[in-house]
Amino acid sequence: MSPDEFPGKPLSLAQACARLRFRHLQFLDILGRTRNLRLTAEQMHVTQPAATKILMDIEEILEARLFDRLPRGMRPNELGLFTLRYASTALDGQRRFVDEFNALKQGGHGHLTIGAITGSAAHLLLASVVEVQRLRPLLVLKILEQSSDQLILWLAERKIDLMIGRFTDEEQRSQFHYERLSDEPLCVVGGLRHPLRGATDLTLTELAHWPWILYPPSTAVRKVSDDLFGGAGLALTAGVVETPSFLFALELMNTTNMMSLQPAALVEKYVNRGLLARIPVSWPDRMPDYGLISRLGEPLTPSAQAFITVLRETANLAPDVV
């Protein structure tokens, strides 16, 4: 049966699970990255005709064409893109199973990958990691720091087991489990020689005429600043630099008169060490609370459950940073 002659009947579970083998998933994962049959064949250590047959076998199993054959490569169609995401996720899950199985077999406590936002959440994460390592010294922890919008994608794709952050879309509340941990104070900071360091009674209008370093639009910090200035009908008129990197923002603030709205927990030590200065501003200074987010309806591994227990206890002990 050729790919053009596939009937439109639904795919059965037996087709997807019984006939679609590990080698097929591996092939799809490589082809999805290379978009080239010759390169895929080389990485699979097979001939190009053999690679072509593997693809035809996959399309016959799924009864659907997945790739458009182009003169200089392969282009996945909509079904192909969906299948490539499945193959990547399935392989990641199998790799994680093997890694954790081997660790447990050798007397370890498995693997756990956690994503977290910066600021207060990072402080809470640090304290929790120290404690869980004391309790489970053989647990292999992988920590990824990113903004919530990226972390939620990684959580959905099973690239991380848990995340500490926020929802970026209300629809996500029906897809993931959320447990509140804390809120997060904010403050405006600038370099030590910033002209507004000792100012009083600053207004939003005055601040709008100074250059700002802002987080990307998809982040919670940016939403706070956009709501404040936008709600007052103000636009920033002296230049804006967007970056998710606090370290880059730190260097920029110390070499220019730019200022930035930042999580208080993140900048506290830099202010205390004389590396940044607070800009006294009277405005709402807290972001929406952040919390522990996990995949809905999915049993947690013993390692994940142990970490969550420690995280809860640490969050209850940690005071809000102001």
Side-chain angles (χ1 to χ4, degrees):
M1 182 182 295
S2 70
D4 294 323
E5 298 172 344
F6 293 128
K9 64 181 181 181
L11 178 69
S12 71
L13 186 61
Q15 285 173 285
C17 298
R19 297 184 62 197
L20 203 58
R21 302 176 185 274
F22 173 80
R23 189 168 178 79
H24 293 141
L25 297 176
Q26 187 182 35
F27 176 89
L28 286 169
D29 187 51
I30 296 173
L31 183 57
R33 285 184 278 108
T34 65
R35 307 293 171 91
N36 184 287
L37 264 180
R38 179 183 60 79
L39 294 176
T40 301
E42 290 176 0
Q43 294 186 35
M44 292 284 292
H45 305 292
V46 299
T47 64
Q48 188 165 336
T52 300
K53 185 176 187 312
I54 293 174
L55 178 57
M56 292 177 63
D57 289 344
I58 293 171
E59 291 183 323
E60 184 172 350
I61 290 170
L62 299 179
E63 297 185 349
R65 179 183 286 275
L66 304 179
F67 287 84
D68 296 327
R69 281 67 167 169
L70 304 176
R72 293 184 176 274
M74 310 287 288
R75 182 176 61 199
N77 57 27
E78 185 176 1
L79 284 174
L81 290 171
F82 180 79
T83 306
L84 291 176
R85 287 196 295 271
Y86 165 74
S88 177
T89 300
L91 286 174
D92 284 342
Q94 291 178 350
R95 292 188 193 104
R96 291 165 64 83
F97 164 74
V98 171
D99 289 344
E100 188 154 354
F101 182 87
N102 287 332
L104 292 171
K105 188 177 180 180
Q106 295 167 12
H109 293 302
H111 292 69
L112 189 63
T113 303
I114 302 163
I117 56 175
T118 56
S120 303
H123 289 245
L124 180 58
L125 176 63
L126 175 62
S128 300
V129 166
V130 170
E131 178 61 13
V132 83
Q133 284 289 286
R134 184 185 70 81
L135 298 172
R136 290 178 167 241
L138 298 181
L139 174 64
V140 178
L141 277 171
K142 184 176 181 181
I143 308 298
L144 301 176
E145 189 177 73
Q146 224 350 312
S147 57
S148 289
D149 58 323
Q150 183 60 63
L151 291 176
I152 203 80
L153 291 176
W154 287 347
L155 186 64
E157 295 169 354
R158 299 179 179 276
K159 293 181 178 178
I160 58 176
D161 300 303
L162 304 167
M163 71 170 272
I164 303 173
R166 302 177 176 85
F167 289 129
T168 57
D169 190 314
E170 283 301 311
E171 291 183 0
Q172 293 165 352
R173 295 185 180 277
S174 63
Q175 303 167 21
F176 301 93
H177 178 264
Y178 177 83
E179 180 178 335
R180 182 188 182 279
L181 292 173
S182 181
D183 55 18
E184 184 158 38
L186 296 170
C187 64
V188 178
V189 289
L192 286 181
R193 293 181 293 277
H194 198 286
L196 297 182
R197 179 180 181 180
T200 57
D201 301 323
L202 289 172
T203 65
L204 280 179
T205 302
E206 292 174 281
L207 294 176
H209 296 307
W210 286 85
W212 281 81
I213 304 167
L214 300 176
Y215 279 89
S218 57
T219 60
V221 183
R222 177 62 177 273
K223 187 174 187 307
V224 171
S225 59
D226 284 353
D227 287 348
L228 287 169
F229 287 108
L234 297 171
L236 302 180
T237 59
V240 167
V241 171
E242 289 185 3
T243 177
S245 170
F246 171 73
L247 292 179
F248 181 76
L250 175 65
E251 292 297 323
L252 202 53
M253 283 186 279
N254 277 309
T255 53
T256 70
N257 283 335
M258 303 191 81
M259 65 182 79
S260 184
L261 182 65
Q262 294 284 344
L266 181 61
V267 300
E268 181 184 32
K269 66 179 179 181
Y270 297 94
V271 172
N272 292 340
R273 293 174 184 173
L275 299 174
L276 284 176
R278 286 179 182 261
I279 307 296
V281 180
S282 297
W283 62 12
D285 64 350
R286 288 178 183 268
M287 287 195 292
D289 55 70
Y290 65 88
L292 172 70
I293 303 178
S294 57
R295 289 182 287 272
L296 194 63
E298 183 172 304
L300 296 169
T301 65
S303 300
Q305 191 59 65
F307 179 82
I308 290 173
T309 299
V310 170
L311 185 67
R312 287 169 178 157
E313 293 172 353
T314 306
N316 288 334
L317 293 174
D320 285 347
V321 181
V322 180

